[in-house]
Amino acid sequence: MEPFKTITALAAPLDRVNVDTDQIIPKQFLKRIERSGYGEFLFFDWRRIQEGPNAGSPDPSFVLNEPRYAGAKILIAGKNFGCGSSREHAAWALSDFGFRAVIAPTFADIFFSNAGKNGIVLIKLSEEDVALLLDRAAQTPNYELTVSLENQTVTDTQGFHATFEIDPFRKFCLTEGLDDIGLTLRHAAALDTFEKQHDQANWLKPKFSEASV
Amino acid sequence: MSNQPKTLFEKVWNQHVVVSPQGEPTLIYIDLQLLHEVTSPQAFEGLRLTGRTVRRPDRCIATIDHNVPTVLAERFNIVDQIAAKQIATLRANCKEFGIQLFDIGSREQGIVHVIGPEMGITKPGMTIVCGDSHTSTHGAFGALAFGIGTSEVEHVLATQTLPQSKPQTFRIAVEGELPKGVTAKDIVLAIIGKIGTDGATGCVIEFAGSAIRALSMEGRMTICNMSIEAGARAGMIAPDETTFAYLKGRRYSPQGAEWDAAVAAWSQLPSDPDAKFDRELVIDATTLVPYVSWGTSPGMVAPITASVPNPADTPNESDRRAFERALEYMDLKAGTPLDEIQIDRVFIGSCTNSRIEDLRAAAAIAKGHHVSTHVSAMVVPGSQAVKDQAEVEGLDLIFKAAGFDWREPGCSMCLGMNPDILTPGERCASTSNRNFEGRQGRGGRTHLVSPEMAAAAAITGHFTDVRNWAEISQTAEVN
Ligand code: SF4
């Protein structure tokens, strides 16, 4: 996982609420067994014209198809971003497309966890701040934001300055780019002890009859 | 500390804390991981790349549900090569790591959230995870069960644990007797409509109250299944006599003296009388009606007696735009009575409503009638065992006589990863759990309803209040 300290990058506004993971990456791309290469399918249905003679070709009105947002690394969106299915493919697609941070008023739980595991920083700001940033990103050419994970701040060159909360341990993992399994295995001895004891609880065994013979 | 009253959630959580290091998430032991073909291949690949292995294959089971065709002849010769490869990959991974697989064609195959409970693998007090958000279903037994992403699937395979921050607790009490024709699905749709799709974010919901206790296990599973649609991490219901009666004698349930010991342990789990919850909500069951979703988010629901609401009545600007966008996508006009909306398709299935009781309820409505001429309707049992049972009871004959397609088990048109999909513009009455844009097929329009409501809509061709079915089914409206 790529460590995240501070980035200054182009910000793209996705002015929609409840953006669900079915939209971020539609199901037909979940059949792949690889972990990479999902970027080109990000927001697949929204990026394409759905009906009429031009169905299937890129929809120029969709924000991420606008040339001025090419190369954006920061996405700004409405509340409850990432709701719905648990597919980590949503995080893979965002990351593969080049996004390193998403700013929104709130995020859904499972997506929140998946994003962190892929080095994407999720930043919760107030609805007012997000509305302001959505507006600036839509109005200002080449609108850049600076996200500093170390200082927990989001700033622009027009005087915007906001701080955000992040769980200290999550921050530590993101800034260091740490692998979760490695972190857990620091507790291997405690786990062995716990598990031995826990295995005595027969009523918590998945396959009781097989385990008991 | 230990004498303090505790909630069901806290009791289960406390029994699974491996370590809780200062300043870090708590490491929780996972009793059972359920695996399926879609969210596991990258996790197994991750293990191989790092030279790790599966710590406890005996605490994993796998099945094939998301991709599998529901037409018998197509199941063993899958045309979609990418889907076929994903399925072959799961088979190879289960073999390599010694994990029990309930494969296509076996008597146990089915939707992962249907087969766990029906084999008695899901039990009260367990921690259960799966790379699928509807893992919350298993909370109906008093288990702590939640969906995870693929990195976490890999983490559990390697360590049988997960680092978790402790969620908040939210008690939703549904009190009073549920009116006739109103189902568990309606309870949960009403709750989501009330608190919103982010109404329980960060929380584990405990569903309680006399209306919940009166439900069968199937009904309880329907409710816990959709807790994720309210944003909850998990939903739970205290185990009781109904739970024990369901589990007794199932294939992987304890037996004899072990059964008695298990019941004694499980009986300790319900929340203590004075246990404190972070949030509480009471719902009056007697006021509930059948609901129909009209939009593209499960919170966009209304009573069958109502009309499509007007976006202008929504105070919040961003909600209003989402609302307008939803009506546009759904091709609906504000003010249209819901029972005048004509449908093209009906889907009875999914981990929300594909258990035997759901099929019995739908068959009771369909019996002696015929699907409307402009509607195509399908019934997809949740598992092979459900299908077999339904056939023993003759439900398949009722459905077929009424013009429903009777299919093989799987997720099917709940998300349309297999060949079962809506075509653009088609409108579907569906017993599944998500009405997101394109969920059942690109451009498809999904309305979430109970199995009874879906069956009634299939027959009349439009949404119909099942509470009046006795009268309606006599009139000429039914063809
Ligand atoms: S039936 Fe639908 S919601 Fe349930 S596991 Fe399958 S795809 Fe997911």
Side-chain angles (χ1 to χ4, degrees):
Chain A
M1 198 167 93
E2 200 183 331
F4 190 117
K5 311 261 191 254
T6 295
I7 63 163
T8 296
L10 193 61
L14 183 65
D15 190 5
R16 294 186 188 184
V17 296
N18 296 324
V19 174
D20 59 75
T21 53
D22 276 72
Q23 302 313 323
I24 299 175
I25 183 95
K27 64 216 160 214
Q28 61 268 39
F29 307 111
L30 310 189
K31 292 177 193 165
R32 305 172 72 242
I33 58 168
E34 297 80 17
R35 201 171 185 131
S36 57
Y38 291 90
E40 58 179 302
F41 311 126
L42 179 71
F43 297 118
F44 187 83
D45 289 342
W46 287 351
R47 274 162 73 187
R48 275 156 192 81
I49 294 174
Q50 296 298 321
E51 287 164 6
N54 296 326
S57 54
D59 179 351
S61 70
F62 184 63
V63 56
L64 295 183
N65 286 339
E66 292 183 43
R68 63 181 181 132
Y69 295 116
K73 284 192 166 48
I74 299 168
L75 187 67
I76 312 165
K79 68 176 177 192
N80 202 23
F81 187 88
C83 59
S85 136
S86 62
R87 59 189 71 164
E88 192 163 326
H89 310 67
W92 298 336
L94 284 163
S95 147
D96 201 50
F97 191 82
F99 286 115
R100 302 291 325 273
V102 184
I103 300 174
T106 51
F107 296 94
D109 285 336
I110 302 177
F111 176 75
F112 194 82
S113 154
N114 286 338
K117 300 202 164 23
N118 290 280
I120 303 173
V121 174
L122 299 186
I123 299 163
K124 280 189 232 177
L125 295 183
S126 69
E127 294 233 19
E128 296 75 50
D129 279 347
V130 170
L132 180 76
L133 294 183
L134 281 168
D135 194 51
R136 286 193 181 172
Q139 305 301 337
T140 320
N142 284 319
Y143 182 68
E144 289 196 334
L145 282 170
T146 299
V147 172
S148 166
L149 185 54
E150 284 162 315
N151 302 327
Q152 298 177 215
T153 55
V154 179
T155 49
D156 72 5
T157 54
Q158 302 177 36
F160 180 86
H161 184 280
T163 54
F164 61 90
E165 296 294 317
I166 184 165
D167 170 76
F169 184 68
R170 189 178 171 91
K171 176 176 171 178
F172 168 72
C173 294
L174 281 163
T175 49
E176 302 299 320
L178 290 176
D179 158 275
D180 266 18
I181 297 178
L183 284 167
T184 292
L185 291 175
R186 292 174 302 159
H187 305 297
L191 173 56
D192 289 344
T193 314
F194 177 92
E195 190 172 52
K196 224 184 198 142
Q197 183 86 42
H198 192 76
D199 275 341
Q200 306 297 312
N202 276 331
W203 56 90
L204 297 177
K205 283 197 177 136
K207 290 174 265 183
F208 182 82
S209 45
E210 294 204 339
S212 66
V213 289
Chain B
M1 164 80 195
S2 58
N3 289 331
Q4 257 182 21
K6 289 190 187 60
T7 65
L8 163 64
F9 160 75
E10 286 168 316
K11 293 181 189 183
V12 178
W13 175 272
N14 290 348
Q15 284 176 11
H16 291 84
V17 173
V18 178
V19 278
S20 139
Q22 184 73 35
E24 291 181 29
T26 305
L27 197 63
I28 291 294
Y29 194 78
I30 302 301
D31 288 319
L32 168 66
Q33 170 151 244
L34 308 161
L35 297 150
H36 62 87
E37 73 276 23
V38 177
T39 54
S40 65
Q42 294 87 355
F44 285 110
E45 189 58 23
L47 289 183
R48 275 188 290 267
L49 289 174
T50 48
R52 291 174 176 136
T53 189
V54 177
R55 182 178 177 97
R56 293 293 298 265
D58 60 320
R59 288 192 181 273
C60 301
I61 63 156
T63 193
I64 295 164
D65 52 4
H66 284 63
N67 275 345
V68 62
T70 55
V71 173
L72 193 55
E74 294 170 19
R75 284 163 83 85
F76 301 99
N77 186 10
I78 297 174
V79 188
D80 178 342
Q81 285 311 304
I82 313 177
K85 187 169 173 201
Q86 202 172 49
I87 290 170
T89 304
L90 181 64
R91 287 189 184 122
N93 284 329
C94 287
K95 196 155 176 233
E96 178 178 344
F97 293 102
I99 292 170
Q100 189 173 13
L101 170 69
F102 299 104
D103 205 340
I104 303 170
S106 76
R107 289 196 48 232
E108 300 89 352
Q109 180 266 341
I111 304 174
V112 67
H113 308 310
V114 176
I115 68 169
E118 77 190 5
M119 286 193 273
I121 292 176
T122 300
K123 298 180 184 74
M126 288 176 110
T127 47
I128 303 176
V129 296
C130 174
D132 185 285
S133 56
H134 291 98
T135 309
S136 57
T137 312
H138 308 264
F141 291 81
L144 174 60
F146 51 94
I148 57 177
T150 298
S151 293
E152 291 171 313
V153 172
E154 184 181 338
H155 194 285
V156 177
L157 287 173
T159 69
Q160 209 56 41
T161 66
L162 262 189
Q164 287 285 301
S165 53
K166 195 170 180 178
Q168 295 203 305
T169 52
F170 187 178
R171 181 176 192 267
I172 299 184
V174 188
E175 300 287 0
E177 199 179 326
L178 210 54
K180 208 168 154 359
V182 182
T183 66
K185 182 67 164 280
D186 300 303
I187 295 180
V188 72
L189 287 176
I191 291 172
I192 299 162
K194 191 175 174 72
I195 68 176
T197 50
D198 55 357
T201 302
C203 298
V204 168
I205 301 176
E206 179 175 341
F207 296 98
S210 56
I212 302 289
R213 282 196 301 277
L215 290 174
S216 65
M217 288 316 293
E218 283 86 351
R220 295 178 188 188
M221 284 189 256
T222 299
I223 292 194
C224 287
N225 173 278
M226 286 193 75
S227 11
I228 180 73
E229 262 61 64
R233 278 233 229 146
M236 300 177 85
I237 293 174
D240 61 7
E241 290 307 321
T242 305
T243 322
F244 306 147
Y246 179 97
L247 285 172
K248 191 156 188 171
R250 298 213 173 234
R251 175 164 162 192
Y252 291 113
S253 290
Q255 292 155 17
E258 296 284 3
W259 169 259
D260 297 336
V263 170
W266 295 334
S267 300
Q268 302 298 313
L269 291 171
S271 294
D272 298 327
D274 298 322
K276 293 250 177 313
F277 292 81
D278 296 303
R279 292 168 64 192
E280 297 207 40
L281 174 72
V282 180
I283 305 254
D284 179 357
T286 62
T287 63
L288 298 180
V289 299
Y291 291 84
V292 179
S293 75
W294 51 264
T296 54
S297 157
M300 295 173 171
V301 294
I304 176 65
T305 48
S307 300
V308 176
N310 194 334
D313 300 336
T314 309
N316 177 309
E317 157 83 28
S318 59
D319 284 346
R320 186 160 59 241
R321 269 183 292 127
F323 203 122
E324 284 163 355
R325 201 185 141 74
L327 288 190
E328 191 191 320
Y329 180 87
M330 295 297 289
D331 191 27
L332 289 175
K333 290 209 173 42
T336 309
L338 290 176
D339 62 5
E340 286 178 12
I341 299 175
Q342 300 276 325
I343 54 161
D344 310 303
R345 304 278 297 267
V346 169
F347 171 61
I348 297 176
S350 90
C351 58
T352 311
N353 282 127
S354 64
R355 298 181 178 81
I356 189 66
E357 187 179 274
D358 301 312
L359 302 193
R360 283 179 193 141
I365 298 284
K367 191 169 186 175
H369 299 294
H370 201 277
V371 170
S372 174
T373 46
H374 63 87
V375 172
S376 118
M378 66 196 285
V379 183
V380 185
S383 68
Q384 195 62 51
V386 169
K387 180 165 186 269
D388 294 346
Q389 177 64 27
E391 289 177 354
V392 165
E393 297 178 20
L395 304 183
D396 58 324
L397 301 178
I398 295 176
F399 283 122
K400 285 189 220 164
F404 288 81
D405 236 355
W406 178 250
R407 297 293 186 89
E408 300 296 316
C411 294
S412 179
M413 211 161 69
C414 173
L415 92 167
M417 271 189 79
N418 75 342
D420 308 334
I421 54 170
L422 296 180
T423 56
E426 272 189 321
R427 188 179 298 285
C428 180
S430 177
T431 65
S432 56
N433 42 55
R434 285 187 177 139
N435 51 349
F436 297 155
E437 285 182 25
R439 167 84 177 180
Q440 297 191 288
R442 195 173 56 78
R445 299 178 177 128
T446 303
H447 295 268
L448 305 175
V449 288
S450 69
E452 288 88 330
M453 287 286 287
I459 287 154
T460 62
H462 55 85
F463 291 109
T464 302
D465 191 339
V466 278
R467 291 174 302 175
N468 308 327
W469 190 246
E471 299 104 75
I472 294 172
S473 60
Q474 317 253 322
T475 71
E477 246 193 285
V478 178
N479 37 45

